[in-house]
Amino acid sequence: MLQPSIRLASRRWATALRPTQQATRQPCYAYWYSTRYSQPGTRSSSRAEADSLFQTADVQAAAVSNAPNHEPGHDPYVKDPEAERAKRREQGMKRLRFASYGLFFSVLATGGVVYKLISEVQEEEQRRSSLQTDASSDSNAKFQGRPVHVIGAGEDKRIITEDNEQVELVETGTSSVPFFPRVLYLPSSDSRTDVPAPPNSAINPGNIHNNEEYTLIGLGIRTVSVFSIQVYVLGLYVRTADLSGLQARLIHYVNKDASTLVPSEKDDLRQAMLDPTRSTEIWDELLRSHIKTAWRISPTRNTDFAHLRDGWITGIKRGTQAAAAAIRDKATGPVETEYESESFGEAVKQFKSIFDGQGKTPKGSVVTLVRDQQGSTEVLFEDPSRTQGLESIGKVTDPRISKLIWLGYMAGKKVSSEAARKGVADGCLILASRPVGSAETMVN
């Protein structure tokens, strides 16, 4: 009597630990209890029937678990397992879609905020620029500490300094460095070699200070990052005596037989000067034509020579890579550019050494890169807050250095300042629209 009871209790305990079979065995429990307590006389027969039902449930559970389509964790009592899996898959895809929508709208909102911030910064800068333009006639407006005065309005407006040595100015578009001089006077080549040039000589007509006159062609603002943070204003100057030669080469690039360009030809010249490939061809030819040019650079915020030097070195590296890529596109075998020699590496080191030990370049100071007929580059510096005036800080004679710096501003797919390239292109178009040799040399 004791052994059957133990056996029956063991089965009941094992069945309770099987949740997947609970639904099947529940009727057995109900039947066994009802027969045991409601009809004590039939206890033995009820126990036998319960054992039979337990065995039947075990067989059914084993059959389900051994079925070919049985999977771990699968509920064997679901009528349509495939439909249940499809339902779960649809719910997962729905959650994935909702997550994708959330990510998309989050990125869209972030982009909108960034775009709005950039627009506000640009609008604020334009507003300041317009305010500076409107207030340029104010007695408080100054150019390097010198009072500024406006004469006329519209196209006839002229901005000049009010001191004894009057300088005609051009608005830059930024309140940080509001004006650039239309004309520069830089030391002549002879004075740089310590050979004084006599006043009113052929090299310096009408100039008793032994300086050469340079005329502004165009200018622009160099900016960095997506927020268009201004770094410096830069303008390209050409020696006034070389303007006629520059005119001729620009015109003959489009039409070799013309003395000036018609509107359609000017459009062609503008497209060429902004094209990545043709702009390199134009400026490579112009730089080999022995004209004197200079870049005038004025920081819009306090910086130093190391920062400026790093920017120029980056431009030089980018230029060497572009030159190598251009040759590889045309050649079928190994190629070598003029920038792969040991002498060019020494020239780059010499250019870097110019800035060793140099200090700050405050806001409004002036760094001038002057390129002579042979391609030598001299770095001049002037801080209006000090009394030293224009001073030379170094020179490198290798023409490849100046060529790459100039091309980095004016030619190729990516330039250091797109605004400066467009400004210079506009100035060149004004030159090309006048007859070669015209006495009118000022560029608006």
Side-chain angles (χ1 to χ4, degrees), residues 289-363:
S289 62
H290 303 295
I291 62 175
K292 287 187 176 183
T293 55
W295 282 107
R296 185 181 193 271
I297 298 169
S298 184
T300 58
R301 61 188 64 238
N302 294 331
T303 182
D304 51 39
F305 277 103
H307 182 229
L308 297 175
R309 176 204 61 199
D310 293 343
W312 291 322
I313 294 299
T314 300
I316 289 174
K317 292 180 179 178
R318 186 167 58 238
T320 59
Q321 295 170 356
I327 294 179
R328 282 197 300 269
D329 293 341
K330 299 178 181 179
T332 56
V335 297
E336 183 176 352
T337 67
E338 59 179 320
Y339 308 112
E340 297 179 15
S341 62
E342 185 177 350
S343 60
F344 177 70
E346 293 298 327
V348 174
K349 292 181 181 178
Q350 182 184 359
F351 180 71
K352 288 182 177 179
S353 66
I354 291 177
F355 306 98
D356 291 344
Q358 301 296 333
K360 303 294 184 179
T361 53
K363 173 182 174 181

Side-chain angles (χ1 to χ4, degrees), residues 202-339:
I203 191 174
N204 275 325
N207 187 352
I208 63 174
H209 294 292
N210 197 32
N211 291 335
E212 292 181 297
E213 182 182 273
Y214 286 72
T215 300
L216 178 64
I217 300 298
L219 56 79
I221 304 173
R222 170 166 162 74
T223 59
V224 295
S225 82
V226 296
F227 295 102
S228 299
I229 299 174
Q230 297 181 357
V231 180
Y232 53 74
V233 182
L234 71 159
L236 179 65
Y237 290 78
V238 174
R239 187 175 63 163
T240 305
D242 294 329
L243 284 176
S244 296
L246 177 61
Q247 281 181 311
R249 286 174 175 80
L250 290 172
I251 292 172
H252 295 162
Y253 178 83
V254 179
N255 188 342
K256 294 183 179 180
D257 300 325
S259 60
T260 187
L261 296 182
V262 299
S264 60
E265 293 173 333
K266 288 194 294 184
D267 291 340
D268 187 19
L269 177 60
R270 178 179 178 81
Q271 293 177 3
M273 299 192 76
L274 300 179
D275 181 78
T277 303
R278 297 173 68 190
S279 61
T280 303
E281 297 175 354
I282 292 176
W283 284 103
D284 185 61
E285 179 180 345
L286 291 175
L287 293 175
R288 286 188 283 106
S289 62
H290 303 295
I291 62 175
K292 287 187 176 183
T293 55
W295 282 107
R296 185 181 193 271
I297 298 169
S298 184
T300 58
R301 61 188 64 238
N302 294 331
T303 182
D304 51 39
F305 277 103
H307 182 229
L308 297 175
R309 176 204 61 199
D310 293 343
W312 291 322
I313 294 299
T314 300
I316 289 174
K317 292 180 179 178
R318 186 167 58 238
T320 59
Q321 295 170 356
I327 294 179
R328 282 197 300 269
D329 293 341
K330 299 178 181 179
T332 56
V335 297
E336 183 176 352
T337 67
E338 59 179 320
Y339 308 112

Side-chain angles (χ1 to χ4, degrees), residues 103-142:
L103 178 62
F104 172 76
F105 286 113
S106 298
V107 173
L108 186 64
T110 304
V113 172
V114 172
Y115 177 78
K116 185 176 180 180
L117 289 175
I118 294 175
S119 301
E120 290 178 355
V121 170
Q122 292 177 344
E123 290 176 0
E124 178 67 16
E125 187 59 38
Q126 292 176 358
R127 184 185 67 82
R128 291 180 180 179
S129 176
S130 62
L131 289 176
Q132 179 66 34
T133 301
D134 295 338
S136 60
S137 60
D138 193 301
S139 59
N140 292 327
K142 294 181 182 296

